[in-house]
Structures are given as structure tokens and as C-alpha cells.
Amino acid sequence: ELKVEQNPLFLSMQEGKNYTIYCNYSTTSDRLYWYRQDPGKSLESLFVLLSNGAVKQEGRLMASLDTKARLSTLHITAAVHDLSATYFCAVVRDDKIIFGKGTRLHILP
Amino acid sequence: DAGVTQSPTHLIKTRGQQVTLRCSPKSGHDTVSWYQQALGQGPQFIFQYYEEEERQRGNFPDRFSGHQFPNYSSELNVNALLLGDSALYLCASSLNGGNTGELFFGEGSRLTVL
């Protein structure tokens, strides 16, 4: 059974700092997604990672995928308050999409 | 270009009732999947529809059923509602059975069961 674990589940950080969110999964995967969710809102697609070694960047966010380690990371550079949200990774295998529990990120001014 | 649209946005039901939620996929998309998100939790995969058939299903009871129409829109039906069915129900659309990349989510239908 495919399981997805994110850590940390809660993260409070200062503006301007760097930090990384980790997403581990238990079996081989077809692809991996990162999403952002603001309170009371739907999911906003951030990245789709399809192959080993994939790295994608958008603004202050960078995602990478290591399929051998079954690990994806979401790195935040020089955090700003607007990045406060909950971040989910989701892993796809055999057309089943399994989400992690999410990382609630709070960035302090 | 309309994105994924869901209706209704909010609804309140009582235990034992039945509910139908609707989803229109993003233009050009042919695959719809449904998720249940309880408060403070990650979305849980219910099922996926492609070419009007259920392709894959998560760990949900038979009370949860669905349908996909020839225009690719979809419905989620939940029978014999329980208090624990209260959640945000999200629909996502994709292309080619979801094998070519992004999932786009609608704004969700928030169901409250009293």
C-alpha cells in the first residue's frame, strides 16, 4: 500500500530564512505533485515531478525528486509572509493519488 | 477558459439523506477524480473516472458512487449520510487518464451533515 509522509507537519519560520519540507513515500511512483492550499480554499498546483532527478523552480520555491530514495523536497528560499499556507505533496501510482497530511507553514514578519 | 467548476459550493444535509455533487472539468480534460478533505487533513482519494468508467477507487464504502457523462462532467453521490461524511469534496480534472501531468482542482463543495 502506498503511504506518503510529510515532515514537518507544522513549521513556523522567520521571514528571510530558508527551509525545506520533506515528502517520503513507500513504493515506486509514477509522478509526484506539490500543492499549496490557503485556508478555506482549494488546491493550487505548484509542481509536477515526473522523473528521477527532476528539479523545478518557481520564485522562492524549488522542488526536487529522488525516486531511488523515494523522497521529494520543497525548498523555500528567503521566505516571505505571502508563502504562509499549507503545502501538500501527492504521489501517484497505478492511477491512485495519495496525499500527505500537509505541512502548515507560518511565516513570521 | 473555464477551470474546474463544482456545484453546489455549500450544502447542509441530515443523517440518512443522500447527496449529489457535480463537477465540470477544465476545457479539454477527459478525466475526473474526486477527493474528500476533512478539516485539517489531506485530501483522500475517492475514485477516478475516465471514458465514463471508474478506473481506480480509494478506500471508501459503496455508499460513495459516481458517474461520468459523455461531455466528461461527473457526479459524486453519497447515500445514507453519516456525520463523518462532513468534509470538503474536491474534484480534479486531468488529461489522458491523468497520465500526462497536472491535476487541476475545483473550489470544492463543502458538505455539512447534521
Side-chain angles (χ1 to χ4, degrees):
Chain A
E1 182 187 350
L2 175 57
K3 294 186 178 180
V4 180
E5 290 190 0
Q6 281 183 243
N7 68 84
L9 297 181
F10 298 96
L11 178 56
S12 183
M13 56 192 289
Q14 294 276 333
E15 275 193 329
K17 299 291 187 182
N18 303 332
Y19 210 80
T20 300
I21 300 170
Y22 297 89
C23 175
N24 290 91
Y25 52 98
S26 58
T27 68
T28 57
S29 163
D30 299 322
R31 60 193 175 279
L32 187 143
Y33 300 102
W34 282 98
Y35 286 92
R36 168 182 173 148
Q37 188 175 40
D38 293 297
K41 301 293 186 180
S42 188
L43 297 165
E44 175 190 352
S45 177
L46 296 175
F47 302 108
V48 182
L49 302 172
L50 299 175
S51 59
N52 188 42
V55 177
K56 292 195 175 180
Q57 183 163 6
E58 181 72 34
R60 300 175 188 274
L61 301 177
M62 183 174 70
S64 66
L65 178 62
D66 181 344
T67 58
K68 293 179 182 177
R70 297 177 187 162
L71 171 69
S72 179
T73 61
L74 180 65
H75 186 73
I76 302 154
T77 302
V80 293
H81 181 68
D82 285 352
L83 290 178
S84 295
T86 299
Y87 292 85
F88 292 97
C89 67
V91 178
V92 182
R93 180 180 167 85
D94 297 334
D95 298 316
K96 281 191 177 181
I97 304 109
I98 308 298
F99 279 78
K101 291 179 185 276
T103 297
R104 189 173 299 175
L105 177 62
H106 182 52
I107 298 171
L108 304 168
Chain B
D1 179 24
V4 181
T5 57
Q6 292 186 242
S7 63
T9 54
H10 296 81
L11 68 167
I12 300 172
K13 293 284 189 177
T14 57
R15 281 180 297 176
Q17 285 189 311
Q18 179 263 345
V19 67
T20 297
L21 308 178
R22 296 175 176 82
C23 172
S24 292
K26 182 179 169 65
S27 178
H29 283 188
D30 56 10
T31 304
V32 171
S33 49
W34 287 92
Y35 302 81
Q36 180 194 66
Q37 187 178 23
L39 199 61
Q41 302 295 315
Q44 300 289 313
F45 176 68
I46 303 175
F47 40 54
Q48 183 189 77
Y49 277 86
Y50 174 63
E51 293 187 341
E52 301 180 51
E53 291 193 358
E54 184 182 292
R55 271 167 58 109
Q56 197 54 273
R57 188 179 183 94
N59 295 326
F60 280 80
D62 292 344
R63 298 187 297 110
F64 289 78
S65 63
H67 188 77
Q68 186 179 35
F69 299 95
N71 67 352
Y72 307 120
S73 67
S74 177
E75 288 183 349
L76 165 65
N77 299 293
V78 187
N79 294 323
L81 284 167
L82 303 174
L83 295 179
D85 295 332
S86 295
L88 178 67
Y89 288 85
L90 294 164
C91 167
S93 76
S94 54
L95 186 59
N96 289 343
N99 291 326
T100 55
E102 288 190 79
L103 283 174
F104 292 88
F105 281 83
E107 292 297 312
S109 294
R110 187 166 297 280
L111 171 65
T112 302
V113 182
L114 301 177

